Amino acid sequence: MEALKKKFADKALPLYQELRSIAKTNGDLKADEVTLSQVLGGARGIKMMLWETSQLDAQKGIRFRGYSIPEIKESLPSGPQGEPKPEGLFWLMLTGEIPTAEEVDALTQEWHRRADVPAQVFTTLDSLPADTHPMTQFTIGVMAMQSDSIFSRRYAEGLPKNEYWDAVYEDSMNLIARLPRVAAYVYRRAFKNGEHIEPDTSLDYSANFAHMLGSDDEDFRSLMRLYLTIHADHEGGNASAHTVNLVGSTLSDPYLAFSAGMNALAGPLHGLANQEVIKWIFEMIDNLGTKTPTKEQIQEYVQQTLDEGKVIPGYGHAVLREPDPRFVAQRRFAEQYIQDSDLISTVWKIFDVVPPILQSLGKVKNPWPNVDAHSGALLVHYGFGEFSYYTVLFGVSRALGVLAAGIWSRALGMPLERPKSVTSDWVRKHVLQTAK
Ligand code: NMX
Ligand code: MLT
């Protein structure tokens, strides 16, 4: 058994026993109470699932197994310029331990070993119009691999419950290993005349992905390491993670569950916001006729967007109530690696201008930037100007978190997810009348 799998099993199986015993002896203890505004307001804050890989704090932001983003940057094995390798984060999410550089290198090699993409993926993608949205192509590419699912095959052969996690682990590792090739294939066929670039297995996961996209620039490799690390997981309640959890709970295999989650990520209030942000900034630049808009000009444009009944993309969050540490990490990256970019200065000016305007509306719970407010400007800086592709990069990263969490869910014996819905009539009869 490979080292990561063994380490995971050593941690997960005792926890499975512990949780069963907790559920048996303390199952009636209250974990939460639900108000009507939560029922009517998108289930905000309702505690209803277990998610081991990370936890979000409204003020402090994401913690991966207890580690903040600055701590992750400090402690995980990194590339030559010091940005953390996402391989290390995946290890941490599965084991709760910071891996050594050797363990991370072994995981890179393991993913290279598993990275062969079946030929039908390429023929399926080639049958689509090249201008099909890259997220749609990406998801179709994932679905085209589903026939390879080890979980589905073993389940059909009579897989016992206590081995579900093992088959889900195998599928998840294969899927993560293959995603950069699929994602790069989508990019090159959509935007580079189908001139594809073969993988380079001497590189780590992020640098190889950057290479297949078309860049061997050392700074861009570093950006990819940081990008793939910070987008990986945001606890379980976000729409893509929750979708993967829900679909996985039916014992759909990781290919089915992950592609479902990607369809949630493709919405403009979620992952597609990274595309919307940069589109909005370039529309503003066009509209104002300058690449260096003043704060006053940005203020007017923000007001115009709000007057048109639209949201300001990249701002606000369902949980966070402070600037997103993922925004801050990208800003620090720009400060360190990029000098004199009008576009990046504009992103920072927007950060000065938008929060007070949103605050003045009196209804926006979080006026601060989220992860998507910065990422596009960094990608444009390194020559990746195709906005519609950005959510695919988010998706490759998100795979690490949601698939690690999926392995945990099967190892912990999580059942079919099935919360309760109510009708408006029920609300009137059972909540409003009872309260009188
Ligand atoms: N611009 C304008 N209005 C906003 C914004 C914003 N950025 N954020 C929230 N509001 C409005 C929201 O539309 C709602 O209005 P109404 O009552 O008229 O329907 C009101 O403020 C209250 O919303 P909140 O409770 O603050 O936010 P909620 O939790 O419902 O939604 C988002 C969170 C992220 C969907 C929302 O802030 C938003 O639409 N932001 C812009 C899109 C975006 O950046 N999404 C990316 C999130 C991160 N990710 O990658 O997933
Ligand atoms: C995410 O990374 O999934 C987003 O910030 C959305 C969320 O956490 O709800």
Side-chain angles (χ1 to χ4, degrees), residues 214-254:
S215 172
D216 290 314
D217 178 283
E218 200 52 62
D219 289 0
F220 184 66
R221 288 175 175 177
S222 290
L223 175 65
M224 278 296 101
R225 292 186 188 102
L226 179 70
Y227 188 106
L228 296 179
T229 299
I230 64 177
H231 286 77
D233 206 32
H234 219 225
E235 73 172 24
N238 70 76
S240 50
H242 185 194
T243 304
V244 175
N245 192 62
L246 169 69
V247 176
S249 84
T250 71
L251 300 185
S252 285
D253 64 58

Side-chain angles (χ1 to χ4, degrees), residues 41-42 44 231 234 238-240 264-265 267-274 276-277 302 305-306 309-321 324 326 354 358 361-373 394 398:
R44 291 291 178 284
H231 286 77
H234 219 225
N238 70 76
S240 50
L265 194 70
L269 295 187
H270 193 16
L272 203 79
N274 60 10
E276 296 299 295
V277 167
V302 168
T305 303
L306 292 171
K310 300 178 196 160
V311 294
I312 308 300
Y315 282 75
H317 200 273
V319 180
L320 284 167
R321 296 295 177 258
D324 190 333
R326 300 171 298 178
V354 168
L358 290 183
L361 298 180
K363 64 174 184 179
V364 180
K365 295 194 189 68
N366 173 36
W368 302 109
N370 58 56
V371 65
D372 299 314
F394 194 157
R398 188 47 56 100

Side-chain angles (χ1 to χ4, degrees), residues 179-326:
L179 283 178
R181 185 83 211 273
V182 176
Y185 195 89
V186 168
Y187 178 71
R188 302 290 305 180
R189 79 177 293 270
F191 304 112
K192 302 289 169 191
N193 300 318
E195 290 158 15
H196 298 291
I197 301 172
E198 288 298 307
D200 178 347
T201 56
S202 70
L203 299 172
D204 60 273
Y205 188 75
S206 314
N208 181 42
F209 185 25
H211 167 73
M212 290 188 288
L213 288 172
S215 172
D216 290 314
D217 178 283
E218 200 52 62
D219 289 0
F220 184 66
R221 288 175 175 177
S222 290
L223 175 65
M224 278 296 101
R225 292 186 188 102
L226 179 70
Y227 188 106
L228 296 179
T229 299
I230 64 177
H231 286 77
D233 206 32
H234 219 225
E235 73 172 24
N238 70 76
S240 50
H242 185 194
T243 304
V244 175
N245 192 62
L246 169 69
V247 176
S249 84
T250 71
L251 300 185
S252 285
D253 64 58
Y255 295 87
L256 295 166
F258 176 67
S259 56
M262 288 302 96
N263 287 320
L265 194 70
L269 295 187
H270 193 16
L272 203 79
N274 60 10
Q275 158 187 322
E276 296 299 295
V277 167
I278 201 75
K279 196 167 140 242
W280 179 81
I281 294 177
F282 276 108
E283 278 166 6
M284 173 176 76
I285 286 170
D286 269 0
N287 223 277
L288 299 174
T290 171
K291 285 183 175 169
T292 53
T294 63
K295 286 189 188 173
E296 290 68 32
Q297 286 175 309
I298 295 174
Q299 222 160 359
E300 271 174 40
Y301 195 75
V302 168
Q303 199 52 58
Q304 186 186 320
T305 303
L306 292 171
D307 292 346
E308 286 166 2
K310 300 178 196 160
V311 294
I312 308 300
Y315 282 75
H317 200 273
V319 180
L320 284 167
R321 296 295 177 258
E322 290 287 338
D324 190 333
R326 300 171 298 178

Side-chain angles (χ1 to χ4, degrees), residues 11 25 49 78 102 122 144 179 196 283 325 349 391 395:
K11 304 267 166 159
T25 49
M49 70 171 103
S78 55
E102 291 70 36
F122 304 125
L179 283 178
H196 298 291
E283 278 166 6
K349 275 187 219 159
T391 312

